[in-house]
Amino acid sequence: MEVIVAKTAGFCFGVKRAVDKVYEQVEKGTEPICTYGPIIHNEEVVKDLERKGVSVINSVSELKALKEGTVVIRSHGVAKEIYDIIESKGLHLVDATCPFVLKIHNIVKKESASGSEIIIIGNDQHPEVEGIKGWCSGPVTVIESAAEAENFVQESGKRLCIVSQTTFNYNKFNKLVEILSKKGYDIIVLNTICNATEERQTEARAIAKRVDGMIVIGGRHSSNTQKLFEICKNECENTYYIQTLVDLDVHSLPSMGCVGITAGASTPNNIIEEVQKNVRNEF
Ligand code: F3S
């Protein structure tokens, strides 16, 4: 039997890099180590790190209370204020901010400094957006919906610099930019969307089209995994949604010539490997 594992299955480049950096610190034995927010939305990984002595801090006050050790900044990035606190306290910084997010920090920092008003297309509650806001030195507005775009009134008289949260939907971004563009302001638009999610979906669709069975691995509540499942199910009737190997009854897989495997963004590689090995060994 042929088994095709999607190259884009599981962690995106930025999340993988961040998780690897924490394990590197563990190996170096640079205790105490903490991450500013959970390094990834995957309980297994966070618990494993906890067992290895890595704690999670969730607020500025917890950060200020630290006396020593290493602080890892996760892929979402943080506001400038957090770097300043880490530096002023003499803590060891490991910056795992995704380079695509760092690029946005640099854009808004530069544009704010040269007098532009910043518009971030994204979710105001999301930590990534929180972080981006924290690099703006002038006016900044977060817009997520068409209604917010319609209601936006520029008061500063400055040029508008529009950027996007990395995981924002591309079509929705274009729609919101179109609404803002009609207002006649001086606008520059920088599409800072990262296409990791879209690439994962495109590859999953292509594989599901050509296999007899498709396995999608990811958390039950992971919305990006649910979406992957839907996409694959549309192309391949024999699509299975599993969280780990335990959920997969390999014997129930009808004898298939070719099986595809993909996984959601927070599925660790070892789970993907384990499933892959078992499917290969069974047939
Ligand atoms: Fe991942 Fe970085 Fe894109 S964290 S989703 S590769 S912006």
Side-chain angles (χ1 to χ4, degrees), residues 12-15 75-76 98-101 128 166-167 194-197:
C12 63
F13 148 80
V15 168
S75 58
H76 293 320
C98 177
F100 298 129
V101 178
E128 180 191 321
T166 53
T167 48
C194 161
N195 51 12
T197 309

Side-chain angles (χ1 to χ4, degrees), residues 175-195:
K175 194 176 149 203
L176 300 185
V177 168
E178 199 185 306
I179 296 172
L180 292 165
S181 301
K182 284 189 185 140
K183 293 179 180 270
Y185 302 135
D186 179 12
I187 283 179
I188 59 158
V189 181
L190 294 151
N191 174 1
T192 49
I193 293 173
C194 161
N195 51 12

Side-chain angles (χ1 to χ4, degrees), residues 31-278:
E31 282 182 26
I33 306 166
C34 66
T35 62
Y36 193 77
I39 195 78
I40 180 178
H41 294 295
N42 180 291
E43 277 180 34
E44 298 291 316
V45 175
V46 175
K47 273 189 204 150
D48 183 54
L49 285 170
E50 216 174 86
R51 283 192 292 270
K52 294 182 161 69
V54 179
S55 57
V56 178
I57 54 168
N58 289 301
S59 64
V60 173
S61 54
E62 282 180 73
L63 179 63
K64 283 184 174 165
L66 288 181
K67 292 198 169 48
E68 53 167 357
T70 297
V71 181
V72 185
I73 292 176
R74 58 188 175 169
S75 58
H76 293 320
V78 292
K80 183 176 182 301
E81 181 200 5
I82 305 297
Y83 288 88
D84 294 343
I85 298 170
I86 293 172
E87 198 190 332
S88 70
K89 293 193 65 74
L91 300 166
H92 174 224
L93 167 72
V94 174
D95 191 355
T97 307
C98 177
F100 298 129
V101 178
L102 277 181
K103 189 176 131 197
I104 307 177
H105 291 177
N106 289 330
I107 291 171
V108 299
K109 184 181 163 199
K110 199 170 133 236
E111 285 293 328
S112 281
S114 64
S116 300
E117 175 168 349
I118 308 294
I119 295 204
I120 306 165
I121 304 284
N123 175 349
D124 204 7
Q125 310 304 318
H126 195 282
E128 180 191 321
V129 174
E130 277 288 308
I132 299 170
K133 280 198 287 184
W135 286 91
C136 301
S137 50
V140 51
T141 307
V142 180
I143 291 179
E144 190 178 16
S145 65
E148 284 166 2
E150 298 283 2
N151 293 334
F152 175 78
V153 180
Q154 196 212 25
E155 283 162 3
S156 64
K158 296 176 169 188
R159 178 167 84 156
L160 287 181
C161 169
I162 304 177
V163 294
S164 171
Q165 183 181 338
T166 53
T167 48
F168 206 76
N169 178 281
Y170 179 69
N171 291 336
K172 206 171 159 196
F173 173 78
N174 279 344
K175 194 176 149 203
L176 300 185
V177 168
E178 199 185 306
I179 296 172
L180 292 165
S181 301
K182 284 189 185 140
K183 293 179 180 270
Y185 302 135
D186 179 12
I187 283 179
I188 59 158
V189 181
L190 294 151
N191 174 1
T192 49
I193 293 173
C194 161
N195 51 12
T197 309
E198 203 186 318
E199 279 174 3
R200 188 183 300 110
Q201 293 174 354
T202 306
E203 192 191 14
R205 186 180 293 113
I207 294 176
K209 252 187 201 153
R210 45 185 280 236
V211 294
D212 307 307
M214 188 77 193
I215 300 166
V216 180
I217 318 166
R220 246 333 126 201
H221 304 291
S222 152
S223 60
N224 79 85
T225 311
Q226 285 165 9
K227 180 82 186 158
L228 270 183
F229 175 73
E230 259 170 49
I231 289 169
C232 294
K233 183 85 179 164
N234 259 339
E235 305 295 339
C236 172
E237 186 46 39
N238 297 319
T239 296
Y240 305 89
Y241 190 150
I242 62 168
Q243 299 202 68
T244 63
L245 181 63
V246 177
D247 303 328
L248 182 67
D249 179 6
V250 275
H251 305 293
S252 72
L253 289 176
S255 62
M256 293 172 180
C258 187
V259 168
I261 299 174
T262 188
S266 46
T267 307
N269 215 24
N270 61 326
I271 297 184
I272 304 171
E273 280 289 312
E274 206 179 20
V275 171
Q276 184 198 160
K277 266 190 207 141
N278 268 271

